[in-house]
Amino acid sequence: GHPFYEPARGLEYLFGYCYREDGEVRYDAVWGLDRDGEKAAFERFVDWLEARRRVHPDLHVYHYAAYERTALQRLMGEHSTREREIDDWLRQELLVDLYRVVKQALRAGVTSYSIKEIEKLYGFERTAEVAGGAESVVLFEQWMEAGEDALLAGIQAYNEEDCRSTVALHEWLLARRPPGLPWRAHLDQREPTEE
């Protein structure tokens, strides 16, 4: 996303995600290059995920840190669309923040718990020319001025690596999960608490 697209409001210009299809991890990206495009990209992503949920009712969406969850909630409110779906995702705990899992489960000898630092533990190697989110925002600014598609291609390559790194982290965490450790019960099967 571009945090300063407008003085009071940013723009979520790229929805990138990985998913499994026929045992293969695939990447897809949906661009929203202006306000109307942002809304259309948001709706397309939500609709795509809802269709996947009908086929795979136990699926989860893994992300790293709070950005994605916050952005989805903000887009739902700003565009007044897909409220029922996003509300259901939150209630059903569809979104799983792997940053919280890492922070609660690991003590790592790294300088921070950013995904780029944690990648050292699971050996993810980056090759994209764009090195970080701030650089992708600068490239998007340059694209707005010049309209050169190569700039968007660089942003997308960076985003794909972020998505594939999240998949690799999830797999790495699962491989280290103690055998026999019970999974957290589904929301409908949990004992009621005072909370």
Side-chain angles (χ1 to χ4, degrees):
H2 188 309
F4 309 114
Y5 180 75
E6 294 171 351
R9 187 170 159 201
L11 178 77
E12 301 302 330
Y13 56 82
L14 176 60
F15 292 74
Y17 48 93
C18 282
Y19 60 98
R20 286 195 190 284
E21 194 71 47
D22 301 323
E24 181 184 335
V25 175
R26 299 181 184 188
Y27 170 81
D28 199 3
V30 182
W31 288 92
L33 301 174
D34 57 24
R35 193 62 64 206
D36 290 337
E38 175 191 65
K39 179 181 180 185
F42 171 65
E43 290 174 334
R44 181 175 161 194
F45 173 72
V46 172
D47 294 348
W48 175 85
L49 190 54
E50 283 297 300
R52 296 242 345 144
R53 284 183 77 193
R54 287 189 288 278
V55 176
H56 308 283
D58 293 331
L59 74 75
H60 286 88
V61 176
Y62 298 94
H63 59 96
Y64 199 81
Y67 187 91
E68 289 79 3
R69 178 186 180 108
T70 303
L72 290 169
Q73 289 175 289
R74 184 178 63 252
L75 291 168
M76 170 192 72
E78 287 178 356
H79 294 294
S80 298
T81 184
R82 305 307 189 264
E83 295 96 336
R84 182 189 54 77
E85 292 86 347
I86 300 300
D87 183 60
D88 186 54
W89 294 4
L90 298 174
R91 289 180 190 277
Q92 296 298 318
E93 299 177 343
L94 185 77
L95 306 174
V96 178
D97 183 355
L98 293 181
Y99 173 77
R100 290 183 59 202
V101 173
V102 166
K103 284 287 285 185
Q104 293 173 10
L106 296 176
R107 182 175 292 171
V110 292
T111 57
S112 78
Y113 281 81
S114 76
I115 197 161
K116 289 170 188 68
E117 286 294 316
I118 296 298
E119 286 171 352
K120 296 172 185 174
L121 299 175
Y122 55 97
F124 187 83
E125 297 287 330
R126 290 182 177 262
T127 59
E129 291 181 21
V130 178
E135 185 179 346
S136 73
V137 171
V138 170
L139 290 176
F140 187 73
E141 284 272 341
Q142 292 172 355
W143 174 83
M144 288 191 308
E145 292 177 18
E148 294 177 23
D149 289 341
L151 296 168
L152 296 181
I155 295 168
Q156 186 168 320
Y158 164 71
N159 179 257
E160 181 173 356
E161 283 191 345
D162 266 358
C163 293
R164 290 188 180 278
S165 178
T166 304
V167 170
L169 172 61
H170 178 245
E171 292 170 347
W172 184 80
L173 289 168
L174 287 175
R176 275 139 193 82
R177 189 173 190 279
L181 183 67
W183 290 94
R184 185 175 182 192
H186 189 272
L187 211 56
D188 300 338
Q189 301 166 344
R190 292 187 201 149
E191 293 290 324
T193 65
E194 289 183 28
E195 292 179 13

